[in-house]
Amino acid sequence: MLEENTHMCFCPLEGVIDVISKKWALLIVNVIGNYERLRFNKLMQELGYISPKTLSDTLKELQKEGLVKKDTFAEIPPRVEYSLTKDGVELRKAIIPLLKWAATRTNVKKKKCDPACREIPAHRVRLAAPSEKDTMPQTCPKAILKQ
Amino acid sequence: MLEENTHMCFCPLEGVIDVISKKWALLIVNVIGNYERLRFNKLMQELGYISPKTLSDTLKELQKEGLVKKDTFAEIPPRVEYSLTKDGVELRKAIIPLLKWAATRTNVKKKKCDPACREIPAHRVRLAAPSEKDTMPQTCPKAILKQ
DNA sequence: CAGCATCCACATAGATACTG
DNA sequence: CAGTATCTATGTGGATGCTG
């Protein structure tokens, strides 16, 4: 497999770098993964202060890239649910090391976990598989807050 | 450590997301890591067709974020060398899973490794520690090209 | 050699208002 | 509920030409 090579290629990343570099993309992938399925307005709440336009645009991009799946139910009022594709789930796992790096690096000058940030559920990452009983923590884990 | 938590926080990532989302940032971090030390013009060659302004801007951002270090030598003609800080080295490691994900995902629609890409050294990632004798491969590893 | 200055084109995100 | 339409502000990268 790839692990056997001592060299890798950035080329495949190029196609996706445009997507993951969008301001909200990783956050959206993360929060959908936190819940498995999420509706539009719930997504807005979870993300904090994103405009419907920006969320709509980004969701379309993520669908185009095959990272997010959209299920529309013909009901009144309409119901739409977003979930991660297999690729989306994998991406969410692949960014964990990046998260850990960001959480432990020494030269951080800008934002850390502050009270305002802790109020935004999308900033929390559920590493374990979601279950009925599992609830998201109301604050950042202490291990990170102490950084 | 962090591994013991079942939840993580995105907050620390927020500060850097602006940096790593810049078009050339990850590529620059990667290629400097490939060589340990690189000069400005060499960096330009390795990156393909980046303008000096863009390279200059991005390098400044990376320095401000504590990911890249700049060493200036008072010589004529002037010599400047860029290297990764400890954080930069760690970041370069942290993006490897992302690379692997991008290389193996199923729904890729856009760019893969093509001849044009293979001519750009910065797209290649040296996983092993650089040494005098180690040379970069002239093409992408087959395992990736076959995707 | 290693850049900076200037100008330009385009993409992205937000605010606000409106709709099937 | 789940968006769309429109406008605007800002960011980001590229081209070109010049400099210590």
Side-chain angles (χ1 to χ4, degrees), chain A residues 39-50:
Chain A
R39 302 177 63 171
F40 193 87
N41 279 357
K42 178 73 172 167
L43 219 25
M44 290 226 295
Q45 291 170 31
E46 292 281 320
L47 290 165
Y49 299 100
I50 189 175

Side-chain angles (χ1 to χ4, degrees), chain B residues 109-134:
Chain B
K109 290 153 193 161
K110 293 187 186 176
K111 302 176 192 172
K112 290 192 181 184
C113 294
D114 58 25
C117 168
R118 263 171 276 157
E119 287 164 13
I120 302 175
H123 289 188
R124 297 197 298 275
V125 184
R126 192 200 308 266
L127 289 180
S131 71
E132 322 293 321
K133 300 178 182 179
D134 190 20

